[in-house]
Amino acid sequence: MEAINLQDKLDQFDERWAPRIVGALNGQHVKLAKLEGAFDWHRHAEADEFFLVLDGTLAIELRDEADVRLEAGECCVVPRGTEHRPVADEGVAHVLLFEPAGTRNTGRRETDKTVSDLEWI
């Protein structure tokens, strides 16, 4: 067991919307991502999704309710089945995610932002 320095891990990549796995627990992956601009609308039918903003600002746009705006140090859980779209419209947001291992970033949709094989760092 060793400490995971999140900033060191974030310094290892620059790609936007391409999460990296930094840990695993109880069937969940702990992921880091750099987000910029708007992602695709999607849902995860069988998985809740946890977002913690480490740096920057992130909006979670929702089809059926008010959007959630997150600043650094704030988090939210998007319940399974909820159609949503993360948007980092004020520059790059650094985000920590928790979701079940094997959860695809675009849910069941296949888009140009779909990442199938996540890299461990």
Side-chain angles (χ1 to χ4, degrees):
M1 184 171 58
E2 61 185 57
I4 299 169
N5 184 300
L6 299 178
Q7 188 58 56
D8 287 349
K9 298 294 186 182
L10 284 162
D11 290 344
Q12 293 181 32
F13 67 98
D14 287 316
E15 295 84 8
R16 308 305 195 249
W17 303 107
R20 303 301 201 276
I21 302 169
V22 296
L25 69 155
N26 301 319
Q28 300 276 315
H29 276 160
V30 180
K31 302 173 184 177
L32 288 175
K34 293 182 179 181
L35 313 181
E36 185 174 24
F39 197 60
D40 300 316
W41 284 99
H42 67 285
R43 73 179 80 233
H44 304 284
E46 289 92 30
D48 300 326
E49 190 173 19
F50 173 86
F51 290 85
L52 169 63
V53 176
L54 302 172
D55 187 45
T57 302
L58 182 69
I60 305 294
E61 295 182 351
L62 303 164
R63 290 264 196 220
D64 300 325
E65 51 189 289
D67 298 345
V68 177
R69 187 162 187 81
L70 302 171
E71 303 290 334
E74 295 182 319
C75 64
C76 75
V77 175
V78 176
R80 69 191 70 201
T82 302
E83 191 171 18
H84 64 287
R85 178 173 81 154
V87 178
D89 58 2
E90 296 180 16
V92 179
H94 296 172
V95 177
L96 179 86
L97 304 158
F98 279 85
E99 53 194 7
T103 300
R104 216 164 69 156
N105 64 334
T106 54
R108 293 185 179 157
R109 293 187 64 207
E110 182 76 30
T111 76
D112 61 335
K113 292 180 180 160
T114 300
V115 179
S116 297
D117 295 317
L118 296 182
E119 179 182 340
W120 279 78
I121 57 172

